[in-house]
Amino acid sequence: MKKSALEDFLATEQARNIAKISLISEVVNAYSQLILDSEVLKIAAENAAAQSERYKFSEVRYKNGIDSQSDLLNAQALTEAAATAYE
């Protein structure tokens, strides 16, 4: 009977250790994903801002006859795509 009780205790201890390791692993994975998502969002925001500036620059160039309407529309499409990616 003592052997059975010891085996039950060790099994319970093992199950608790497995649960702790599993919980720690889930927390680490969630935190890692949070950091990654934050970096992706930061890059998307920077890209949206850069594309917006590029569009403004293309607009000025178009108004001054330097760029074609196609260049302006391309800059606008890239700006909208970057803004959509950021949302």
Side-chain angles (χ1 to χ4, degrees):
M1 199 121 151
K2 288 181 183 181
K3 184 177 179 183
S4 175
L6 178 60
E7 287 174 356
D8 286 345
F9 172 76
L10 292 176
T12 302
E13 186 70 23
Q14 188 77 352
R16 185 170 45 237
N17 287 339
I18 289 169
K20 283 181 186 178
I21 291 169
S22 178
L23 178 61
I24 290 168
S25 174
E26 289 297 319
V27 170
V28 168
N29 285 338
Y31 185 68
S32 297
Q33 189 64 48
L34 175 66
I35 291 172
L36 178 63
D37 289 347
S38 294
E39 287 300 311
V40 168
L41 185 60
K42 178 181 169 187
I43 291 168
E46 291 170 358
N47 186 41
Q51 291 300 336
S52 179
E53 288 299 313
R54 180 176 183 257
Y55 175 74
K56 289 176 188 175
F57 184 65
S58 287
E59 193 173 34
V60 169
R61 289 175 55 93
Y62 173 71
K63 287 179 181 177
N64 288 307
I66 299 168
D67 280 354
S68 67
Q69 185 178 16
S70 175
D71 293 329
L72 181 63
L73 292 174
N74 185 43
Q76 181 181 13
L78 290 172
T79 301
E80 290 172 2
T84 301
Y86 178 61
E87 294 171 356

